[in-house]
Amino acid sequence: MCFSFLYMLGSSYVISTYGPHQRAQMTGDILLGGLFPIHFGVASKDQDLAARPESTQCVRFNFRGFRWLQAMIFAIDEINNSSTLLPNITLGYRIFDTCNTVSKALEATLSFVAQNKIDSLNLDEFCNCTDHIPATIAVVGAAGSAVSTAVANLLGLFYIPQISYASSSRLLSNKNQYKSFMRTIPTDEYQATAMADVIEYFEWNWVIAVASDDDYGRPGIEKFEKEMEERDICIHLNELISQYFEDHEIQALADRIENSTAKVIVVFASGPDIEPLIKEMVRRNITDRIWLASEAWASSSLIAKPEYLDVVAGTIGFALKAGHIPGLREFLQQVQPKRDSHNEFVREFWEETFNCYLEDSQRQQESENGSTSFRPLCTGEEDITSVETPYLDYTHFRISYNVYVAVYSIAQALQDILTCTPGHGLFANNSCADIKKMEAWQALKQLRHLNYTNSMGEKMHFDENSDMASNYTIINWHRSAEDGSVVFEDVGYYSMHVKRGAKLFIDKTKILWNGYSSEAPFSNCSEDCEPGTRKGIIDSMPTCCFECTECSDGEYSNHKDASVCTKCPYNSWSNGNHTFCFLKEIEFLSWTEPFGIALAICAVLGVLLTAFVIGVFVRFRNTPIVKATNRELSYVLLFSLICCFSSSLIFIGEPEDWTCRLRQPAFGISFVLCISCILVKTNRVLLVFEAKMPTSLHRKWWGLNLQFLLVFLCTFVQVMICVVWLYNAPPSSRKNHDIDEIIFITCNEGSVMALGFLIGYTCLLAAICFFFAFKSRNLPENFTEAKFITFSMLIFFIVWISFIPAYFSTYGKFVSAVEVIAILASSFGMLACIFFNKVYIILFKPFRNTIEEVRCSTAAHAFKVAAKATLKHNTAARKKSGSIGGSSASTPSSSISLKTNGNDCDATSGKHKPRVSFGSGTVTLSLSFEESRRSSLM
């Protein structure tokens, strides 16, 4: 029974009733199949199954699809006429219309499969096969990815090679599922990336994505979404569309697009699928959108119509690389219904081109029945070049070239089989296939290893996914100035197999947006953030929707739409607009700034004044006042004051490691040396005047050796503090970046505790000095100037007590300035209080700088001491006698008055005659000092 069925199937096939009736067919030694979308779709018909279902009718003739079919026939004719490619072998073809639908494509594919299956059963003995059509070795097609997916599933079962010229879905690269599928068009894997690159190139981040609801649109838009996520670009709407959508569905989609703020619409769909949406957009006159077209409709004649240009003008599309096919243009112009009787599609093409009916046309009969509009008759001899249709658009051969390459690839594989040398073949034991008995799977094997150079010198081969490498041309839809038609202007390209960053090239000067504007449209969720700001996140909104936040101080952004602000380098700071960083100003107590100059002048003035005092003291070194002030210690004291003034200069200028390590020890040691001299000198005079009777022992211990020893010991303690400090935590120069716009170069003291010890020890000595100075305030002024020393120590304390909070509350260069001011203030205080009075007397009151004046003041002090002692003794005696004689006894007056006058001292004789009154009596005492004691005091 099975054989009877196959016999009937074979008989029916001989009379060519199996498969779609309308076809283009020519017999040959080897047969190639073809699947082309000669129509854009099928008529919608509700099958209620009340009667036997009828085949659906294809509608809307596709001129470009017919041109692709003609390109296949042209290629086969070229090969058959070639003396080098497949000599003595004739290629035949059977080409069907898919009507851009899966059902029609499968109906045609079944005819290929059925014939191949019948041939594999070897039924020659059961039937008369003189008119037998050979099996289909390979199939060229189909166009749409959804159609090719269905066809590939069926052809793959029988390993019949299928080479598509326009199916770009990345799913078809799965060789485990689509074993025999191959293509001469690049996969959408690259196209989705290319589309994302274009959007990134024009700095758009807010787009609408529309995809056909099939195996072409869904995988393409899925890959596109991933690419957009990697680039942080947002898709506002993600919609599916189909040519079979109801009107209300199209209107709802148009509503969502119209209400969206996104201005760029990315479409992964074919022309028939997107056409209903374009019509609705035209009806609503929505002209402010930019369309980004995939290759399936980037040059579609169904959309590229003048009446749609108000909406689609300015479209950016990805078109396949155009190729040159010599002779095709002439071949297309030679088409005629009478001449091309083997091609049943020519009649319909002719009627659609000239809007007429040929004689005995089935369409004419339908028209007479009232199903179509009236058309005149035509002869079939009309001039095809007199009518402008997409069929004769010779501007670029893109899909037609892919069809041409597909046919030549099959022919080259057959040529390789024909010329195969036994032992070098691709089959078992390196055998070769017999081209006369060849089967489809053998052709598939040979195609997978195909590698040849075509007539234009291009290398042709299929990769591991059976895809053929190619590039995209980027086109822009312009309006022709002559007739208002659509012009596809090449504005760039996308190379797939070069390094990232060099893949995309676009010439912006050639692009016309919306058909007239040269300025790229704005399609972002938020306005661009200007330089100096960054994008801030808005809650519950996509990342592409943001608010502009000003960069923080010390940060900048120098380009638009910065995601983050860049932190300025450590030595820089941001300008007021936060658009760039400038080098921070480096500050320190400089020699050139007014403040530094003023301090330096004060320090130099102090050195000069001190040097002047030294000069005066040296010049008048043998005068009584100089001798009375212990001139040797005075010299050391004045030298230490010069060191104090000089040490302040080390604090001025750019701090370096050596200056930082020198300045504090220099200051500390200089001050300790200074105060030690004052302390020793004051204490020595105090001890001399308080001694009741100076002895040789006193003279020994009050000598210069002991004085200098004490100064050395006091200073040595400070030196040791400095040594320990420099050894354990040496100060160093550092840059302070705490202040925003300024870098302060300061000294890191290493140890604040060590600095505290240094200043604390100095203050301790000053306190002891203050104590002795206060105690000796009543000694002769020629010797100690107690009041002035006391006042100088008070100045010292006030300055350095104020220094501590000022030091820790200031920053930068002002820290050094505070310390310089403290050093200068305390140094000037000691210089002025201790020495200026003496210099004044030496220079302007020379009569007071005599031995008699010194003796007079010394005698007065001694007499005061003696008088106080006598008064104290007499008072004690009276109290004692009063306790013996009773309370009624009379006693002399206890008032004692001491009267001395400088005028009582005879300047000539040098004799001082003080008078002391006890009650009513007056006693005159004369005191004389041995020259040796006076010398010891001087």
Side-chain angles (χ1 to χ4, degrees):
M1 182 176 180
C2 178
F3 285 115
S4 300
F5 171 75
L6 291 172
Y7 173 77
M8 293 172 61
L9 184 63
S11 300
S12 64
Y13 191 81
V14 169
I15 59 175
S16 301
T17 58
Y18 187 79
H21 175 71
Q22 196 175 20
R23 68 187 72 179
Q25 176 173 302
M26 180 176 288
T27 60
D29 301 322
I30 298 175
L31 201 64
L32 305 183
L35 296 173
F36 294 91
I38 308 301
H39 293 84
F40 283 113
V42 295
S44 178
K45 183 180 293 186
D46 184 17
Q47 301 284 359
D48 58 3
L49 301 181
R52 180 187 295 275
E54 297 179 358
S55 177
T56 54
Q57 183 180 0
C58 298
V59 295
R60 295 190 298 169
F61 191 82
N62 183 1
F63 287 95
R64 292 179 71 230
F66 180 70
R67 187 177 69 199
W68 302 341
L69 178 150
Q70 289 287 84
M72 179 175 177
I73 295 174
F74 171 77
I76 291 175
D77 287 349
E78 244 187 10
I79 294 167
N80 288 337
N81 294 327
S82 173
S83 58
T84 57
L85 187 59
L86 297 178
N88 302 320
I89 294 179
T90 302
L91 295 180
Y93 54 83
R94 295 177 67 214
I95 304 174
F96 295 100
D97 179 13
T98 65
C99 300
N100 205 36
T101 59
V102 172
S103 58
K104 288 292 184 180
L106 287 177
E107 184 180 353
T109 304
L110 283 172
S111 69
F112 303 142
V113 173
Q115 183 61 40
N116 282 27
K117 195 62 179 176
I118 290 173
D119 284 354
S120 67
L121 295 176
N122 195 12
L123 298 178
D124 290 346
E125 56 183 295
F126 295 100
C127 63
N128 180 11
C129 295
T130 56
D131 295 329
H132 173 61
I133 298 177
T136 302
I137 296 300
V139 175
V140 177
S145 294
V147 175
S148 286
T149 299
V151 171
N153 280 319
L154 184 56
L155 293 179
L157 294 174
F158 302 96
Y159 293 93
I160 300 174
Q162 172 192 359
I163 303 180
S164 174
Y165 47 84
S167 299
S168 57
S169 173
R170 64 190 182 91
L171 298 181
L172 290 168
S173 295
N174 184 353
K175 295 300 105 181
N176 292 326
Q177 186 172 357
Y178 307 105
K179 300 178 180 63
S180 63
F181 179 81
M182 311 176 85
R183 55 186 162 192
T184 57
I185 184 175
T187 172
D188 285 337
E189 188 85 13
Y190 300 109
Q191 186 173 200
T193 304
M195 283 185 162
D197 284 346
V198 168
I199 291 172
E200 185 178 32
Y201 178 82
F202 289 109
E203 299 179 355
W204 297 323
N205 69 3
W206 193 238
V207 300
I208 298 171
V210 179
S212 57
D213 190 12
D214 55 27
D215 287 340
Y216 170 72
R218 287 191 300 269
I221 212 68
E222 178 184 343
K223 172 64 176 176
F224 176 74
E225 288 175 2
K226 292 180 180 178
E227 293 289 336
M228 297 290 273
E229 288 178 5
E230 292 178 2
R231 294 165 171 78
D232 292 328
I233 301 174
C234 301
I235 298 177
H236 184 210
L237 296 176
N238 198 341
E239 304 286 346
L240 294 176
I241 196 172
S242 172
Q243 61 179 313
Y244 302 111
F245 270 16
E246 300 292 339
D247 289 343
H248 68 89
E249 294 178 293
I250 296 296
Q251 292 172 2
L253 175 57
D255 287 339
R256 292 191 291 273
I257 292 175
E258 187 174 11
N259 295 330
S260 173
T261 56
K263 301 300 181 183
V264 175
I265 306 174
V266 180
V267 180
F268 257 97
S270 63
D273 285 326
I274 195 64
E275 185 188 23
L277 177 60
I278 298 296
K279 285 183 177 179
E280 181 63 21
M281 300 286 279
V282 171
R283 187 185 70 80
R284 299 187 182 200
N285 195 30
I286 302 175
T287 61
D288 61 341
R289 299 297 195 272
I290 293 297
W291 302 80
L292 190 58
S294 65
E295 45 77 28
W297 72 280
S299 57
S300 172
S301 59
L302 200 61
I303 309 299
K305 296 179 179 179
E307 57 266 30
Y308 295 161
L309 263 181
D310 288 341
V311 170
V312 298
T315 295
I316 299 292
F318 285 85
L320 301 174
K321 178 183 177 182
H324 178 62
I325 308 177
L328 178 60
R329 179 176 180 176
E330 292 75 15
F331 178 82
L332 294 177
Q333 293 176 350
Q334 293 171 4
V335 64
Q336 275 191 349
K338 295 179 181 179
R339 183 186 309 165
D340 299 308
S341 57
H342 61 278
N343 187 349
E344 298 178 9
F345 299 108
V346 173
R347 294 179 61 86
E348 185 177 357
F349 161 73
W350 203 266
E351 292 175 349
E352 290 296 327
T353 300
F354 295 101
N355 196 24
C356 64
Y357 290 125
L358 292 169
E359 189 177 357
D360 300 329
S361 172
Q362 182 180 358
R363 292 160 59 87
Q364 181 183 14
Q365 297 175 4
E366 294 175 355
S367 175
E368 292 174 354
N369 294 332
S371 60
T372 59
S373 60
F374 172 78
R375 292 185 180 183
L377 291 175
C378 47
T379 63
E381 300 291 339
E382 288 80 7
D383 183 8
I384 191 67
T385 61
S386 64
V387 182
E388 185 175 344
T389 63
Y391 172 75
L392 294 180
D393 182 8
Y394 311 123
T395 307
H396 298 290
F397 291 129
R398 304 185 191 277
I399 302 296
S400 299
Y401 182 71
N402 286 354
V403 174
Y404 186 79
V405 170
V407 174
Y408 263 87
S409 295
I410 296 172
Q412 189 64 46
L414 297 175
Q415 177 72 15
D416 292 343
I417 292 175
L418 179 64
T419 58
C420 177
T421 303
H424 296 86
L426 299 176
F427 304 100
N429 300 321
N430 296 324
S431 61
C432 298
D434 184 357
I435 196 167
K436 295 181 180 180
K437 298 181 180 180
M438 184 182 59
E439 298 184 32
W441 65 269
Q442 294 172 317
L444 177 61
K445 175 73 171 179
Q446 198 70 44
L447 279 167
R448 288 178 177 176
H449 292 80
L450 183 67
N451 194 338
Y452 73 101
T453 303
N454 65 10
S455 59
M456 289 176 286
E458 296 175 333
K459 295 286 185 179
M460 297 293 177
H461 73 281
F462 295 97
D463 61 20
E464 65 276 6
N465 293 322
S466 298
D467 301 330
M468 191 167 284
S470 183
N471 297 322
Y472 290 110
T473 299
I474 300 175
I475 61 175
N476 183 222
W477 289 23
H478 290 189
R479 187 191 299 270
S480 172
E482 298 177 358
D483 55 7
S485 62
V486 179
V487 176
F488 302 124
E489 180 72 22
D490 290 354
V491 295
Y493 58 83
Y494 187 86
S495 301
M496 304 176 192
H497 302 289
V498 297
K499 63 181 180 179
R500 187 175 182 86
K503 295 178 180 289
L504 179 66
F505 170 78
I506 295 179
D507 187 353
K508 291 183 179 180
T509 60
K510 294 183 177 180
I511 298 178
L512 291 179
W513 303 102
N514 299 112
Y516 60 87
S517 175
S518 59
E519 183 178 355
F522 181 83
S523 185
N524 292 21
C525 182
S526 302
E527 292 290 335
D528 292 342
C529 286
E530 295 299 322
T533 62
R534 64 172 178 83
K535 296 188 288 188
I537 297 174
I538 301 177
D539 292 339
S540 71
M541 292 293 289
T543 57
C544 299
C545 302
F546 49 82
E547 58 185 0
C548 297
T549 305
E550 187 176 6
C551 293
S552 302
D553 290 338
E555 297 180 345
Y556 76 100
S557 63
N558 56 7
H559 60 277
K560 288 186 176 181
D561 281 347
S563 299
V564 295
C565 294
T566 305
K567 193 173 183 63
C568 291
Y570 75 97
N571 62 341
S572 302
W573 194 252
S574 57
N575 66 328
N577 295 328
H578 302 282
T579 55
F580 64 89
C581 292
F582 60 89
L583 291 176
K584 289 183 178 181
E585 182 181 353
I586 297 178
E587 283 198 3
F588 50 86
L589 190 58
S590 172
W591 293 100
T592 57
E593 64 176 293
F595 194 31
I597 294 173
L599 293 176
I601 290 174
C602 291
V604 172
L605 180 61
V607 171
L608 294 177
L609 287 175
T610 307
F612 174 74
V613 174
I614 292 176
V616 172
F617 269 52
V618 172
R619 172 67 177 83
F620 299 95
R621 60 186 176 276
N622 294 321
T623 60
I625 286 183
V626 176
K627 289 182 178 180
T629 55
N630 197 333
R631 61 188 174 189
E632 289 78 7
L633 277 181
S634 295
Y635 294 153
V636 177
L637 175 58
L638 289 168
F639 170 76
S640 66
L641 284 174
I642 290 178
C643 293
C644 290
F645 284 115
S646 301
S647 67
S648 65
L649 296 175
I650 307 176
F651 288 82
I652 304 174
E654 182 176 353
E656 299 180 12
D657 288 346
W658 70 270
T659 58
C660 291
R661 294 167 186 170
L662 177 62
R663 64 184 192 174
Q664 296 293 5
F667 141 71
I669 294 171
S670 299
F671 264 79
V672 166
L673 179 60
C674 177
I675 295 174
S676 298
C677 291
I678 299 173
L679 173 61
V680 171
K681 187 173 72 167
T682 304
N683 186 48
R684 172 179 172 275
V685 175
L686 180 63
L687 291 176
V688 168
F689 276 94
E690 287 188 349
K692 296 180 175 57
M693 184 61 67
T695 64
S696 59
L697 183 63
H698 285 99
R699 297 189 188 98
K700 178 181 178 181
W701 288 106
W702 293 342
L704 287 176
N705 293 335
L706 179 60
Q707 296 174 42
F708 287 122
L709 178 62
L710 291 175
V711 171
F712 171 77
L713 291 176
C714 292
T715 308
F716 181 75
V717 173
Q718 185 76 306
V719 171
M720 292 308 299
I721 292 174
C722 295
V723 169
V724 173
W725 180 7
L726 294 177
Y727 180 79
N728 291 305
S732 60
S733 172
R734 75 180 181 95
K735 293 182 178 180
N736 187 348
H737 299 272
D738 295 340
I739 306 302
D740 293 342
E741 301 179 9
I742 301 173
I743 298 176
F744 286 115
I745 302 181
T746 59
C747 284
N748 178 13
E749 302 300 350
S751 172
V752 178
M753 182 180 296
L755 179 61
F757 274 118
L758 183 141
I759 297 176
Y761 178 68
T762 306
C763 291
L764 175 63
L765 292 181
I768 298 173
C769 185
F770 175 78
F771 170 75
F772 285 118
F774 181 78
K775 191 174 181 181
S776 61
R777 65 188 181 280
N778 294 322
L779 294 181
E781 61 179 11
N782 289 333
F783 290 90
T784 60
E785 312 86 34
K787 294 180 181 179
F788 295 107
I789 292 177
T790 303
F791 187 64
S792 69
M793 291 299 103
L794 284 175
I795 294 175
F796 183 88
F797 282 123
I798 292 171
V799 168
W800 290 102
I801 290 173
S802 302
F803 165 79
I804 294 173
Y807 181 86
F808 289 102
S809 62
T810 54
Y811 56 88
K813 65 180 181 181
F814 302 107
V815 175
S816 298
V818 165
E819 192 162 356
V820 170
I821 292 172
I823 293 172
L824 293 178
S826 54
S827 298
F828 273 114
M830 288 186 289
L831 177 64
C833 292
I834 297 174
F835 292 102
F836 280 7
N837 183 50
K838 291 180 174 56
V839 172
Y840 175 77
I841 293 174
I842 293 171
L843 296 180
F844 301 104
K845 299 283 185 168
F847 62 89
R848 296 181 59 184
N849 186 17
T850 61
I851 189 65
E852 291 79 9
E853 183 69 18
V854 174
R855 288 175 178 175
C856 183
S857 61
T858 304
H861 173 72
F863 185 80
K864 288 178 184 179
V865 174
K868 287 182 180 180
T870 303
L871 181 61
K872 181 177 181 182
H873 174 75
N874 292 338
T875 302
R878 284 195 300 271
K879 286 182 179 180
K880 183 176 180 181
S881 61
S883 63
I884 297 175
S887 59
S888 62
S890 62
T891 60
S893 174
S894 62
S895 63
I896 300 175
S897 62
L898 174 64
K899 297 181 181 178
T900 62
N901 194 324
N903 297 327
D904 294 334
C905 187
D906 190 346
T908 304
S909 63
K911 295 182 179 179
H912 192 285
K913 299 179 181 179
R915 294 190 301 273
V916 181
S917 298
F918 293 97
S920 57
T922 301
V923 179
T924 301
L925 298 177
S926 295
L927 298 177
S928 63
F929 291 79
E930 296 85 353
E931 185 65 26
S932 61
R933 176 172 176 174
R934 189 169 62 248
S935 299
S936 66
L937 293 176
M938 292 186 215

